[in-house]
Amino acid sequence: MAKKILSVAAIKDGAVIDHITAKQGLRIVRILELAKAGRTVTIGLNLPSKTHGKKDIVKVEGRPLTDEEASRIAVLAPHASINTIKEYEIVDKTAVTVPDILHGVIICPNPTCITNHEAAARSYRTATEGSKVSLTCRFCERIFSLEEIDEYEM
Ligand SMILES: [Zn+2]
């Protein structure tokens, strides 16, 4: 396991977000502002994945991810796993879980939703069925899948 990680680029302390749905890697770095404050971030795009065809990997040097960050990652990449690295060793590996209630992150795909016209705090109820995640906007009650989302809060 440790060898596999090293073959891409070793990090001493931090987190490796693996099995990110292809194309979501850059988005995760942007939305979570992982590269903020000069932090070293390594991004691998369209890497071969045994289970999902292609995947992205993001490595964040310097600190573990918070639970809040992990739940935001879950919405962008429900199959992701987070490896916490200490002294080049994986000390923890967890699959992300989609939060029951998601605050922000996503812009409601309903163009007439009030949250797209007024400064209302966006929030969504989530439901997971197998590998499918659906979200319900708490303002307009629009139900949509992750695939229908094309705009995210920055
Ligand atoms: Zn809405």
Side-chain angles (χ1 to χ4, degrees), residues 26-81:
L26 285 173
R27 203 167 254 168
I28 285 172
V29 172
R30 252 193 6 245
I31 291 168
L32 274 71
E33 299 184 307
L34 294 176
K36 217 166 127 181
R39 197 176 297 128
T40 301
V41 175
T42 310
I43 304 169
L45 302 177
N46 294 321
L47 302 171
S49 160
K50 277 191 204 114
T51 45
H52 295 101
K54 300 262 186 220
K55 65 173 183 180
D56 293 348
I57 287 185
V58 172
K59 297 174 184 208
V60 187
E61 195 105 36
R63 65 165 174 85
L65 295 175
T66 63
D67 291 346
E68 168 70 20
E69 286 170 326
S71 67
R72 299 177 121 212
I73 289 166
V75 176
L76 298 159
H79 305 293
S81 58

Side-chain angles (χ1 to χ4, degrees), residues 107-110 112-116 123-124 136-142 144:
I107 292 178
C108 180
N110 173 4
T112 63
C113 180
I114 189 165
T115 62
N116 290 324
S123 88
Y124 308 88
T136 307
C137 175
R138 297 177 91 192
F139 285 91
C140 70
E141 299 289 317
R142 164 80 67 102
F144 53 96

Side-chain angles (χ1 to χ4, degrees), residues 71 75 98-104 122-126 135 138:
S71 67
V75 176
V98 178
D100 294 334
I101 303 286
L102 175 74
H103 299 286
R122 296 180 175 95
S123 88
Y124 308 88
R125 284 190 304 275
T126 69
L135 299 108
R138 297 177 91 192

